[in-house]
Amino acid sequence: LDRDAVFELLKANNIIARKYGVIRKINVFDGQKMVKVGDAVMKGDLLVSAVYEDRHNKLTLKHSRAEIWAETDYAAIVYFPLNQTIREKGEPMGKLLTLNVLGRQFSLGRPLAADDFIVEKEEKEVSFLGFRLPINAIITHYYNVKVKDITYNFEQGRSGAFALLEDKENREMNELEILSRTTEEKVSEDTYIISANYIVLMDIAEEQDILSDIPWKNTDDMS
């Protein structure tokens, strides 16, 4: 590690709440715990202090580390247009073979402009006389683009909007535990809109650097 990286590891910090909620689970790895399960906290409240008093009544500053799980709310909204223009795969327009040899790629031909085509890639292992070679063949297929206008009815729009909401949950809320969800649906300007409100369990711990001239040491020993 270079000097800056070492300093980053050693600098003292508190743990504060990045969102309001009710504390449900606490895992403190280093630092002085300042809250308990069942406490209600607001954004910015101190959860774990960098100032730690050991069994010998000696005060030290620490790089606080913790997971503080709280019950809180979360909101999401998705929009599904009922009138859409989509791109579909048309006739094949060509392909390009690329060889990946020990991490280096060699194309046998010239690639086409990807924006003008629908592009699909497949990768195959290369063998000779039954022996696997350190070469992968990447075949890039180019297809003509067919533009199609689609109008969805109310039920199709609703189904599409809920699919978008599920995808959003998988991408943005995969580290949260969803305890409950309520939704509100409406159609506005040919767009199906779903607003969702959740009660979730999430880690609200956020590091807050502190500045001090007091000599201190960082240790994971909480004894």
Side-chain angles (χ1 to χ4, degrees):
L1 296 176
D2 60 25
R3 180 179 177 181
D4 291 340
V6 171
F7 179 77
E8 185 69 22
L9 289 173
L10 293 179
K11 67 183 181 182
N13 67 276
N14 293 321
I15 299 292
I16 62 173
R18 62 187 173 97
K19 188 175 175 65
Y20 71 88
V22 178
I23 305 297
R24 296 304 185 201
K25 185 170 62 175
I26 300 173
N27 293 322
V28 176
F29 309 112
D30 215 351
Q32 181 66 48
K33 181 176 67 173
M34 304 300 291
V35 291
K36 62 182 183 297
V37 172
D39 285 351
V41 298
M42 300 300 293
K43 180 179 179 180
D45 281 355
L46 179 63
L47 305 179
V48 180
S49 174
V51 180
Y52 177 72
E53 183 177 354
D54 62 21
R55 60 186 177 183
H56 304 295
N57 298 321
K58 180 180 178 182
L59 295 179
T60 60
L61 289 177
K62 290 180 171 290
H63 180 88
S64 299
R65 297 180 298 116
E67 293 177 349
I68 311 291
W69 292 82
E71 185 176 317
T72 186
D73 61 5
Y74 194 93
I77 187 168
V78 293
Y79 304 87
F80 186 88
L82 298 178
N83 298 308
Q84 298 185 29
T85 299
I86 64 173
R87 289 160 48 101
E88 292 185 336
K89 184 171 67 176
E91 297 297 320
M93 300 299 293
K95 57 185 177 181
L96 173 69
L97 174 62
T98 302
L99 298 179
N100 188 333
V101 183
L102 298 175
R104 300 187 63 183
Q105 294 190 352
F106 305 90
S107 295
L108 306 180
R110 178 174 295 181
L112 301 178
D115 292 342
D116 298 332
F117 302 92
I118 291 178
V119 179
E120 293 181 353
K121 293 187 178 184
E122 60 174 324
E123 188 168 349
K124 298 180 178 180
E125 296 181 348
V126 177
S127 301
F128 180 72
L129 298 178
F131 293 96
R132 168 79 170 91
L133 299 178
I135 301 173
N136 285 350
I138 304 170
I139 304 172
T140 304
H141 298 272
Y142 297 92
Y143 296 91
N144 189 26
V145 178
K146 294 171 59 178
V147 177
K148 185 177 181 180
D149 293 326
I150 295 182
T151 298
Y152 296 94
N153 61 32
F154 182 86
E155 287 302 320
Q156 291 170 328
R158 185 175 189 271
S159 177
F162 270 104
L164 289 178
L165 183 61
E166 181 178 349
D167 179 68
K168 190 178 185 71
E169 290 174 355
N170 291 334
R171 287 185 292 103
E172 299 181 7
M173 303 175 64
N174 60 323
E175 295 184 357
L176 311 182
E177 181 181 345
I178 298 176
L179 303 178
S180 67
R181 183 185 78 177
T182 59
T183 58
E184 180 180 335
E185 308 170 38
K186 68 177 182 179
V187 176
S188 175
E189 297 181 357
D190 295 328
T191 300
Y192 202 102
I193 304 171
I194 297 180
S195 302
N197 292 292
Y198 304 83
I199 300 298
V200 300
L201 197 62
M202 68 182 296
D203 184 2
I204 63 170
E206 180 179 85
E207 293 187 1
Q208 180 189 60
D209 293 341
I210 62 175
L211 301 176
S212 175
D213 296 327
I214 302 174
W216 64 283
K217 63 179 181 178
N218 181 41
T219 174
D220 291 338
D221 183 5
M222 297 294 291
S223 61

